[in-house]
Amino acid sequence: MRAMLMILAASGTLAFGQKVEEIYGNYCSGCHGAKFEGGQGGSLVDGIWKHGGTDAEIFKSIAKGNPPLGMTPWEGTLTNEQIRSMVVYLREQERKAAVQGMQFPKPSPDTVTKTELQSYKIETVVASGLEIPWAIAFLPDGRKLVTERPGRLRILDKDGKLQPEPVKNTPEVIHHGQGGLMEVALHPDYEKNGWVYLGFADGTVEKVEGKKDQAKVITSVVRGRIKDGTWTDQEWIYRADPKFRSGAGVHFGTRFIFDKGYIYFVVGERGGMMEAQDVTRPNGKIFRLHDDGRVPEDNPFVKNKDAIPGIWSYGHRNPQGLAMDPRDGALYNTEHGPRGGDELNLVQPGKNYGWPVITYGMNYNGTPITGITEKEGMEQPVIYWVPSIAASGLDFYTGEKFPKWKNDLFAGGLAAQEVRRLRLEGKKVVSQEIVLKGIGRVRDVAEGPDGFIYVLLNGPDSIVRMVPAN
Ligand code: HEC
């Protein structure tokens, strides 16, 4: 104890770059236990918070302490940023401990999985032969289109059988880190016009002698038609100026929503962090364009001559879920936060969603990003997830097969390997339930025209669907 106080006195506040695990180990574990189980101070993972269990209350408990009862006030020693990271860290530990004692629906084909409102069985649609399936689109004749991230567009025939040959002549895609061929969607009038839209990592790869290939990429959108198994009539819907391409392998976004003649889509922040705040760059933005790629005249930044006119909202990190409420037309996105702080946002024109100035997360290595979670002029998420679920595909359920789930929002989680059902009232989430867990990393969740819920899994790379059961 004496030694510890000396270190603190000598150094003032701790170095900003110190990892949260080290801070906990050095300054907290002595009283709260190496496994957070408690000692002189209480357990930090039993879900019981004497002084309140919201993030803000836990922050306050750490900052202000309670000296008469032996809890040191840490403000002044730890920065706000470090205390904020500690809250994220304690939340992760609390969740881990809770999960150990919990039963989650882990479906298998032979068992009925019961959830709060509906029971279902899982059916395997494609067991093998796909590589990193990313998105699915349902053709009116019962066939399905599936993207594979390395760059192939595949077709499942009416019986769900994977056709051996991918669609020929699809655009050149650069499979770089998290980027590759990502989104596929049909124009709402597909039956009349045949347009299929693709979102992918586009750019150049330079071969450098003795080095790894140097990719320079960013997210782009095209549309085209599929005739006799071949991609034709291609048109660019959105292609960033080549100066915005980067070698980063992260945060490509994509996902499309069509509404009233517009297409909404996402360009992730590509690791550029503050670039998400800059409306002269495409990074970290949700776009709205006419479905032929023209810029709508009433977009929020068209009058700012330096801004990229297609931008609809900004300050996003890596949204990979986009869905529109069938009842009121409200647009929602889910986005990957850093470590902690995945978000569900209500997307509104011209608004700033705050990344990286505000976030409920910290860096992956346990160092802080920022101490603040709110700021004037920046939107709060509808809800956020700490720890992260690694938010992926998102869809509203509108079908008849699961009547008690009507209009609920289904959100996939890659790292958490789960599908969550969110119930919204107005624009608030009133309940949340994990309906599927533990059968693979969930890349996309999509309602089929048959009313079943399709789940694309990465590792094992496969497609399953949820069908009602009693
Ligand atoms: C010298 C012992 C000691 C150290 C060191 C210590 N704590 Fe505590 N802590 C306590 C005690 C005792 C309490 C209970 C105080 C009370 O009942 O009000 C407590 C309470 C808390 C609470 C509130 C819990 C609740 O139920 O509301 C939090 C959060 C917490 N500590 C976090 C930390 C963190 C984070 C660190 C390290 C930065 C830390 N503590 C270091 C002794 C300690």
Side-chain angles (χ1 to χ4, degrees), residues 1 4 23-24 27-28 31-32 40-42 44 48-52 58 61-62 66 69-72 74 78 86 90:
M1 196 60 199
M4 181 181 102
I23 296 176
Y24 184 86
Y27 305 113
C28 319
C31 292
H32 289 286
Q40 189 182 333
L44 297 174
I48 301 166
W49 300 98
K50 192 174 154 190
H51 300 287
I58 297 171
S61 292
I62 300 169
N66 190 356
L69 289 178
M71 169 62 180
T72 324
W74 291 95
L78 302 180
M86 185 62 72
L90 294 182

Side-chain angles (χ1 to χ4, degrees), residues 171-173 180-182 198-202 218-222 236 254:
E172 193 188 339
V173 163
L181 180 55
M182 295 171 285
L198 297 175
F200 60 98
D202 149 59
I218 193 159
T219 313
S220 291
V221 181
V222 295
W236 287 93
T254 78

